[in-house]
Amino acid sequence: MMNYSRENLQNVIQWRNVIYFLYLFLVSIHADEHNHVYEINEEVVLWMNTVGPYHNRQETYAYFSLPFCRGKKKTISHHHETLAEALQGVELKFSGIPIGFCRNETSSKICDLILTEEKQKVFMYAVKNHYWYQMYIDGLPIWSILGDVDQKNNLYYIWTHKKFDIGYNGNRIVDINLTSENKVLLELNSQIQFTYEVHWKQSDIKFENRFEKYLDPTFFQHRIHWFSIFNSFMMVIFLVGLVSMILMRTLRKDYARYSKDDDLEDLERDLGDEYGWKQVHGDVFRRPPHSLLFCCMIGTGYQITLVALCVIIFAILGDLYTERGSLLSTTIFVYSITSPVNGYFGSSLYTQMGGKKWIKQMMVSAFFIPVFVCGTAFFINFIAIYYHASRAVPFGTMIAVLCICCFIILPLTMVGTVLGRNLSGQPDYPCRINAVPRPIPEKKWYMDPFVIIMLGGVLPFGSIFIEMFFIFTSFWAYKIYYVYGFMLLVFFILIIVTMCVTIVCTYFLLNAEDYRWQWTSFLSAASTSVYVYLYSIYYFFFKTKMYGLFQTAFYFGYMALFSLVLGIMCGTLGYVGASMFIRKIYGTVKID
Ligand SMILES: *[C@@H]1O[C@H](CO)[C@@H](O)[C@H](O)[C@H]1NC(C)=O
């Protein structure tokens, strides 16, 4: 446990965060660091970010929460951080190490540290747990390990010399290498001197390409990646074939009948002879139970799908990984401005189903995702505060998020709701709904909605799980995810697979004369996320070395959130697919 940095936690209300989010919406996403151009001898700031155990990527603490000493130079105060950075636990503090552009620095002293017993204990704990720290120069991340341990003799060492090799191209910084040297034993009451040196070197790397060395093409562009895409693609072809076969089969008879110009009485008599999906024509458009919640889910699902699509496209176009926190900023921004979509689809469906409590529906729709996100964050926050981790969200940031929810998301959802109710609130069901619900007959166990729901998620999960591995690895380990083109491809495959599988599931359900297809189709697609969560449990135990309460809670908390969001998205896709299918097949048995 680490509790020697109280002052880092005592975050005063940061109104600049509130101002920042206004700025975010006015100027859109913008680099907050200066323009990356330097003059000879101009100050280059070395920002100290965080320190934490290597195996727990998210368990980070402010760099100066370890009792490091600071350099003499104190002119630059705290970095003004963005909302996304605050949420991600970025805590940039000036190192006090003076560096000038193109100014070579021979080995110079930073500061001295007297190792008191308390400091020794802290450093030994950190070295033992493979702590490493992260810094930034001009937006480029630099990592280094804190120390070294001699297990045999139980001796702990700390690296005291930092050697920076900085490559420049014209007046920009394009490459940084850090070498740690000079191991010093952590001995009680000894004086430890920290030193550094800087070497500047002309480099040919282009400024635009300076992030390339952080990417790992052999990891991401692996043959497995292509293989999985190919595999999923085969599945798509198979499923599309299956769905078209079902459609042909169900519709063929009806087309044949229409061509004979039979009148409607005959049609109804014919229906009497048939069994299967046609029997439930008077019930398929019956309002599902908990229709309010259902409509909120569908509205939210539309929004999430749109947000995912937009963020992936922005990431492809903008190389978002080069800017700290910009992916999260973009997501928050896109989520906020797409709120009308949520209101529109949720409320129009709700009105079509004859729902009256539209204000309640709107509120639930607008706050469903924010409540879950904030709830998870709040829960993690408790543990983060207990651990004094840098992930603890400052109070000002919480206020900023609350403001976004109340003053942007809610009004925009309201706009969507009003439009949805008025523009497409009329039900246009092809079949009349019978007054008395039809009893649902006994059926084989494998036609039970629960079984269908659990089976429905298998294929969609199969089509994404390789990509899930890459996404997990880039989030929980130290890989930068940059192959968003692949992600877009997988996203489209997921949409098609989910829709096709759900249509097949719905067809089987209706053939068993069970008309409760709305929730079944939603849940059978959403069960993909159950498998994703199970996979994440496997991933935790077999692919990572995370440990400790904080990291474990963080992992399972945010994985649950991720699965929930994915589930709502898939569920909506499934429902939309099934709904189109049902309108298509029952459209041919008009009885009015
Ligand atoms: C950093 O290290 C890499 C690989 O060792 C080397 O190619 C590059 O030139 C180094 N950059 C600088 C600025 O020293």
Side-chain angles (χ1 to χ4, degrees):
M1 209 85 24
M2 311 177 60
N3 47 7
Y4 31 79
S5 66
R6 199 134 294 157
E7 95 273 355
N8 286 318
L9 255 297
Q10 289 169 346
N11 275 303
V12 216
I13 301 176
Q14 293 163 320
W15 285 108
R16 62 193 152 78
N17 276 327
V18 181
I19 294 164
Y20 172 72
F21 95 79
L22 288 172
Y23 161 82
L24 179 77
F25 290 99
L26 294 175
V27 202
S28 104
I29 321 301
H30 196 272
D32 59 288
E33 194 110 26
H34 36 78
N35 53 8
H36 302 295
V37 175
Y38 296 89
E39 284 159 26
I40 301 287
N41 232 348
E42 190 181 333
E43 177 171 48
V44 176
V45 184
L46 173 66
W47 293 107
M48 293 312 202
N49 185 17
T50 51
V51 59
Y54 178 78
H55 295 300
N56 293 354
R57 182 173 176 181
Q58 275 72 24
E59 185 184 340
T60 52
Y61 305 94
Y63 179 78
F64 286 108
S65 69
L66 288 184
F68 285 112
C69 55
R70 290 174 201 245
K72 282 194 273 323
K73 203 162 179 308
K74 296 205 165 56
T75 44
I76 291 181
S77 59
H78 196 283
H79 164 80
H80 72 97
E81 74 194 356
T82 63
L83 178 63
E85 283 175 346
L87 291 173
Q88 290 180 325
V90 172
E91 285 212 14
L92 299 188
K93 291 270 165 47
F94 181 48
S95 59
I97 300 176
I99 299 176
F101 189 70
C102 285
R103 188 178 70 212
N104 284 334
E105 207 85 48
T106 50
S107 187
S108 343
K109 184 172 118 175
I110 304 172
C111 55
D112 288 319
L113 179 82
I114 308 284
L115 207 60
T116 59
E117 192 178 346
E118 192 202 359
K119 287 181 181 176
Q120 188 203 24
K121 240 172 55 197
V122 169
F123 275 123
M124 272 160 73
Y125 176 88
V127 170
K128 195 167 149 191
N129 286 287
H130 308 284
Y131 270 43
W132 71 335
Y133 53 94
Q134 198 201 19
M135 304 176 285
Y136 281 102
I137 286 184
D138 192 45
L140 286 171
I142 313 162
W143 295 275
S144 184
I145 193 87
L146 188 69
D148 199 4
V149 56
D150 181 354
Q151 298 281 9
K152 251 200 308 239
N153 306 318
N154 205 23
L155 295 175
Y156 295 88
Y157 298 94
I158 188 165
W159 298 104
T160 59
H161 183 69
K162 297 181 179 62
K163 179 166 157 247
F164 294 97
D165 287 300
I166 308 182
Y168 64 96
N169 188 350
N171 47 12
R172 289 152 177 261
I173 293 174
V174 291
D175 186 19
I176 297 171
N177 291 343
L178 170 64
T179 329
S180 290
E181 289 169 359
N182 199 10
K183 225 161 42 165
V184 170
L185 184 67
L186 287 169
E187 219 174 348
L188 193 59
N189 295 328
S190 65
Q191 183 175 6
I192 296 178
Q193 186 177 64
F194 287 92
T195 51
Y196 78 107
E197 67 181 285
V198 185
H199 296 289
W200 291 84
K201 234 167 48 184
Q202 179 79 42
S203 168
D204 302 331
I205 300 171
K206 286 210 186 70
F207 179 74
E208 299 76 43
N209 303 336
R210 62 182 192 151
F211 272 91
E212 257 165 32
K213 79 167 191 181
Y214 300 98
L215 309 179
D216 189 349
T218 48
F219 177 71
F220 282 106
Q221 312 245 330
H222 218 263
R223 279 221 307 278
I224 290 182
H225 221 145
W226 283 112
F227 180 71
S228 95
I229 300 263
F230 176 74
N231 227 357
S232 309
F233 195 69
M234 288 288 119
M235 189 149 77
V236 166
I237 291 177
F238 167 73
L239 282 169
V240 170
L242 189 65
V243 168
S244 2
M245 222 175 66
I246 290 177
L247 266 176
M248 300 276 274
R249 219 185 77 128
T250 52
L251 300 181
R252 203 180 44 215
K253 270 191 196 148
D254 301 299
Y255 286 137
R257 200 156 34 215
Y258 282 130
S259 61
K260 273 190 273 159
D261 279 340
D262 276 9
D263 57 0
L264 289 172
E265 274 89 321
D266 282 349
L267 200 90
E268 197 146 17
R269 202 188 55 227
D270 278 357
L271 275 173
D273 301 336
E274 304 222 24
Y275 61 94
W277 59 272
K278 278 186 191 165
Q279 291 289 353
V280 291
H281 67 85
D283 292 289
V284 272
F285 296 108
R286 194 177 292 288
R287 184 173 159 177
H290 311 293
S291 56
L292 189 141
L293 182 64
F294 185 75
C295 297
C296 294
M297 300 280 229
I298 299 298
T300 307
Y302 269 104
Q303 188 187 0
I304 294 171
T305 312
L306 187 63
V307 170
L309 187 66
C310 291
V311 170
I312 295 175
I313 288 175
F314 284 149
I316 291 174
L317 298 179
D319 280 347
L320 291 186
Y321 59 85
T322 58
E323 211 58 71
R324 264 193 313 275
S326 59
L327 193 66
L328 185 61
S329 307
T330 312
T331 311
I332 295 175
F333 177 70
V334 174
Y335 185 83
S336 308
I337 61 160
T338 51
S339 299
V341 174
N342 182 347
Y344 182 89
F345 286 101
S347 74
S348 65
L349 185 65
Y350 187 64
T351 315
Q352 283 172 19
M353 286 178 177
K356 295 282 179 286
K357 297 181 217 153
W358 67 275
I359 294 188
K360 189 174 167 196
Q361 188 271 330
M362 178 187 77
M363 298 298 274
V364 176
S365 255
F367 290 129
F368 193 81
I369 288 294
V371 160
F372 271 97
V373 172
C374 294
T376 313
F378 199 70
F379 164 67
I380 305 291
N381 218 17
F382 259 120
I383 305 175
I385 288 172
Y386 177 66
Y387 268 64
H388 296 268
S390 68
R391 288 254 163 194
V393 178
F395 186 66
T397 311
M398 290 187 197
I399 300 278
V401 171
L402 196 68
C403 287
I404 292 179
C405 290
C406 293
F407 300 124
I408 296 174
I409 294 181
L410 186 61
L412 287 181
T413 311
M414 179 131 56
V415 170
T417 302
V418 170
L419 288 178
R421 280 173 59 79
N422 293 309
L423 296 183
S424 60
Q426 291 303 315
D428 55 342
Y429 301 135
C431 302
R432 201 181 46 217
I433 303 168
N434 289 346
V436 184
R438 195 171 183 280
I440 295 164
E442 287 282 312
K443 49 187 177 282
K444 295 259 171 39
W445 64 268
Y446 54 81
M447 284 298 168
D448 192 69
F450 180 74
V451 177
I452 291 181
I453 286 169
M454 285 329 286
L455 289 179
V458 173
L459 284 183
F461 171 69
S463 70
I464 57 169
F465 96 98
I466 301 265
E467 201 58 31
M468 283 295 130
F469 171 76
F470 288 108
I471 294 171
F472 287 3
T473 308
S474 58
F475 194 76
W476 301 109
Y478 302 88
K479 298 273 179 202
I480 297 180
Y481 193 92
Y482 68 99
V483 285
Y484 288 97
F486 271 124
M487 201 193 251
L488 189 66
L489 212 57
V490 172
F491 183 70
F492 285 132
I493 288 176
L494 177 67
I495 291 179
I496 299 172
V497 171
T498 308
M499 284 187 163
C500 292
V501 167
T502 316
I503 288 173
V504 175
C505 289
T506 307
Y507 179 69
F508 283 129
L509 186 80
L510 293 174
N511 260 341
E513 296 177 23
D514 190 338
Y515 56 82
R516 297 169 297 181
W517 65 276
Q518 289 103 333
W519 276 109
T520 311
S521 64
F522 181 86
L523 292 176
S524 66
S527 67
T528 308
S529 67
V530 174
Y531 294 106
V532 169
Y533 199 65
L534 291 177
Y535 177 63
S536 79
I537 294 173
Y538 164 82
Y539 185 86
F540 181 84
F541 286 109
F542 295 100
K543 299 280 179 199
T544 69
K545 291 182 181 154
M546 298 179 197
Y547 62 91
L549 174 70
F550 175 74
Q551 187 69 23
T552 310
F554 193 94
Y555 182 88
F556 286 106
Y558 279 105
M559 273 305 175
L561 192 64
F562 174 74
S563 301
L564 176 81
V565 170
L566 185 76
I568 294 178
M569 187 182 90
C570 289
T572 303
L573 293 172
Y575 169 78
V576 170
S579 168
M580 288 191 307
F581 172 74
I582 282 192
R583 273 162 197 272
K584 179 95 190 143
I585 61 172
Y586 286 95
T588 59
V589 284
K590 273 212 173 67
I591 309 184
D592 289 352

